[in-house]
Amino acid sequence: MISPDEFGKLFDNFEREAFRLETLDYYDAAGTRVGLPAFLAGEEEPEQFKKSPWVTTVGNATKSGKRMYRVHVVTTPLTDYLRFEFAWGYHRNMEAGEEFFILDLAEHPVPGLLNYDFWMFDEQTVVRMFYTPQGAFEGAEIMPEDKASEHIRCRDLAMKHAEPFVSFWERYG
């Protein structure tokens, strides 16, 4: 496992692109525990959500010409959590320059797609993410360099079948 500091430095040091594959229907984090009940109650998104450290990380990277993008693999109908994540999180991060794509397995079953979360930096460094069954982050591990091609194939497969988030959200949001 890599330390949180080592993982964070990858977001500062990549040169061209950072790609994320998301596969879970729920990510347990402090912001979720506070934000999801507020979202479900119809409250407005709190200002602190709009100014998270992640938004700064994304903004700094994209303003310097780097690409940050992800595919979230889902199966419709959307869970309450996914509606929350898409409505509050994705819209906020899009304003900072991150790109989002959705792969709905109900519409496009994709055999051979990896079934775990990872980040890939510059098509070289792959970081596998580990979560508990309840969606709590447990840690991350840098994969051996010879695994990069497998993750590039997965990214390309996911991107081939995914649609831009805005199009998806117009139908399901």
Side-chain angles (χ1 to χ4, degrees):
M1 295 287 181
I2 62 172
S3 73
D5 285 343
E6 288 175 279
F7 189 43
K9 286 179 184 174
L10 292 170
F11 292 97
D12 295 330
N13 297 331
F14 74 96
E15 295 178 13
R16 295 177 316 282
E17 67 175 42
F19 170 81
R20 167 85 187 261
L21 184 74
E22 290 183 302
T23 62
L24 301 182
D25 289 333
Y26 182 83
Y27 293 90
D28 183 23
T32 298
R33 286 178 239 123
V34 172
L36 180 57
F39 172 79
L40 293 175
E43 296 176 18
E44 292 291 319
E45 183 177 358
E47 263 325 292
Q48 75 242 27
F49 276 56
K50 296 177 184 177
K51 297 178 180 175
S52 75
W54 180 249
V55 172
T56 301
T57 298
V58 170
N60 289 342
T62 58
K63 286 175 190 163
S64 69
K66 299 174 184 179
R67 183 180 189 200
M68 294 187 75
Y69 64 117
R70 67 179 75 200
V71 171
H72 198 140
V73 179
V74 303
T75 302
T76 51
L78 296 176
T79 64
D80 286 343
Y81 169 80
L82 287 173
R83 289 186 312 103
F84 156 72
E85 180 181 37
F86 293 171
W88 283 12
Y90 282 16
H91 280 99
R92 167 195 72 198
N93 295 354
M94 283 173 50
E95 290 178 17
E98 190 171 0
E99 300 170 53
F100 293 91
F101 301 87
I102 306 298
L103 173 52
D104 183 358
L105 294 179
E107 292 181 13
H108 303 284
V110 181
L113 195 66
L114 295 173
N115 64 351
Y116 56 84
D117 285 37
F118 66 87
W119 276 100
M120 181 169 51
F121 301 91
D122 298 326
E123 296 189 335
Q124 296 175 47
T125 304
V126 177
V127 180
R128 182 172 178 174
M129 315 290 289
F130 294 93
Y131 295 89
T132 67
Q134 297 77 31
F137 181 64
E138 290 186 305
E141 174 182 61
I142 294 179
M143 303 290 288
E145 287 183 23
D146 64 351
K147 296 289 184 183
S149 62
E150 176 183 5
H151 291 83
I152 291 168
R153 182 199 57 76
C154 179
R155 179 211 50 203
D156 293 349
L157 188 60
M159 288 295 292
K160 176 181 176 183
H161 295 285
E163 68 179 297
F165 169 72
V166 173
S167 301
F168 178 86
W169 194 241
E170 285 174 357
R171 289 197 326 275
Y172 295 102

